[in-house]
Amino acid sequence: MTNHRIALIPGDGIGAEVLPPARQVLDAVGRRHGFAFSYTSYDDWSCERYLREGAMMPTDGLEQLRDKDAILLGAVGFPGVPDHVSLWGLLIPIRRRFRQYVNLRPIRVFDGLDSPVRGAVAGEVDFVVVRENAEGEYSEIGGRLHRGFPEEAAVQESVFTRAGVTRVLDYAFGLAAARGGRLTSATKSNGIVHTMPFWDELVAERGSAHPQVAWDQEHIDALAAKFVLDPARFDVVVASNLFGDILSDLAAAVAGSIGIAPAANLNPERDFPSMFEPVHGSAPDIAGRGVANPLGAIWSAAMLLDHLGHRAAAGDVTGAIAAVLAKSDVRTPDLGGTATTAEFTGKLLELL
């Protein structure tokens, strides 16, 4: 029996409440399909640890994760610790050290979960945002000058490399080819004079190398509007780090709830473990109450299964997600119901 080694990082807030349901689902579907998981849990890698010891994780934390097959993360962030401290102390070092340069965000409108957007219909909205995840606008280059004086300034540099842009574009074009669809590139070359024309040039170059994929490009502001006005038109959307971050959260809201949205941070070459996480954040306002929606973590677990080569098992999980929304009135409070996390998970496991 294949045994996969999984690192569990609950993190902060509701992270510790949504990972156990994801683990239950993984174990259940593994038994059905004939594989198993062994887990190592890093329970104190969190903002609480930062406040206590001055670091989100130990100095050898990345080395501890290196031999795992995948990482499942709960949430990062808590009041009292600035977001840039928590993210750059845990999430971003994992992404950068393990070359997780693809951030993959599937967007789907499910039966039983109405979108706030009138034109977003179940069965019609089903696309993927491919976000460059390792450079772009989220670089470490820059600094602060003349602190405390009237001429105080902050400088932040964007970094777009040919290698970095090309590899994420090739992934996105390959995904579009596999889905039999089309690709849309997010740009802003009419206002950002160096990096975005460079991005556009590489999109055209990689597009010619994938002649089976139809592609176009949209300025980010117009693209955001079209996500709301006509979300069903999209199949694969590829974007830089900042644009992809914003678009994927907007798209999750269009799909009905950011509380169910998953994400994969992929190292496509598999030289390092990839990481999977719900995108809902730590939700400190409901942490500890047992009412967190586990669907984001469970869908992330489905993406983990797919990455590990268990596509049928992943399909079972997404099918159970669709079923619990379409065939059941069991809902957590964020979806308009009164069910606890445990009750909602139990219903999903029943349908699984």
Side-chain angles (χ1 to χ4, degrees), residues 143-160:
R144 298 277 290 274
L145 305 172
H146 311 301
R147 291 175 183 264
F149 290 96
E151 65 272 24
E152 185 173 4
V155 177
Q156 180 77 47
E157 298 287 351
S158 295
V159 176
F160 287 70

Side-chain angles (χ1 to χ4, degrees), residues 97-117:
R97 176 64 182 86
F98 293 151
R99 293 183 177 269
Q100 297 168 354
Y101 60 84
V102 171
N103 185 266
L104 195 63
R105 294 279 296 272
I107 306 298
R108 178 178 169 187
V109 174
F110 289 94
D111 279 320
L113 182 59
D114 292 335
S115 169
V117 175

Side-chain angles (χ1 to χ4, degrees), residues 28-78:
V29 78
R31 286 191 295 270
R32 173 185 294 175
H33 287 269
F35 53 87
F37 298 94
S38 59
Y39 303 95
T40 304
S41 190
Y42 301 90
D43 294 332
D44 74 332
W45 294 16
S46 63
C47 288
E48 184 178 351
R49 186 186 194 280
Y50 175 82
L51 292 172
R52 186 177 67 247
E53 302 185 28
M56 295 288 293
M57 62 179 172
T59 54
D60 67 341
L62 295 176
E63 191 57 37
Q64 292 185 45
L65 299 174
R66 176 67 181 86
D67 66 344
K68 304 301 185 292
D69 295 312
I71 303 162
L72 192 57
L73 175 71
V76 179
F78 216 70

Side-chain angles (χ1 to χ4, degrees), residues 83-166:
D83 287 342
H84 69 278
V85 171
S86 59
L87 290 179
W88 284 89
L90 182 63
L91 182 66
I92 293 179
I94 294 172
R95 289 175 173 174
R96 300 285 168 94
R97 176 64 182 86
F98 293 151
R99 293 183 177 269
Q100 297 168 354
Y101 60 84
V102 171
N103 185 266
L104 195 63
R105 294 279 296 272
I107 306 298
R108 178 178 169 187
V109 174
F110 289 94
D111 279 320
L113 182 59
D114 292 335
S115 169
V117 175
R118 184 172 52 201
V121 179
E124 296 182 7
V125 177
D126 185 356
F127 65 96
V128 182
V129 177
V130 178
R131 167 191 172 193
E132 197 289 315
N133 206 36
E135 52 177 47
E137 301 89 347
Y138 293 1
S139 81
E140 298 177 69
I141 299 174
R144 298 277 290 274
L145 305 172
H146 311 301
R147 291 175 183 264
F149 290 96
E151 65 272 24
E152 185 173 4
V155 177
Q156 180 77 47
E157 298 287 351
S158 295
V159 176
F160 287 70
T161 66
R162 172 173 285 274
V165 176
T166 296

Side-chain angles (χ1 to χ4, degrees), residues 218-229 234 246-247 250 254:
E218 295 273 4
H219 289 136
I220 182 66
D221 41 358
L223 183 56
K226 290 175 183 178
F227 266 28
V228 174
L229 295 172
F234 299 104
I246 295 169
L247 285 173
L250 170 63
V254 168

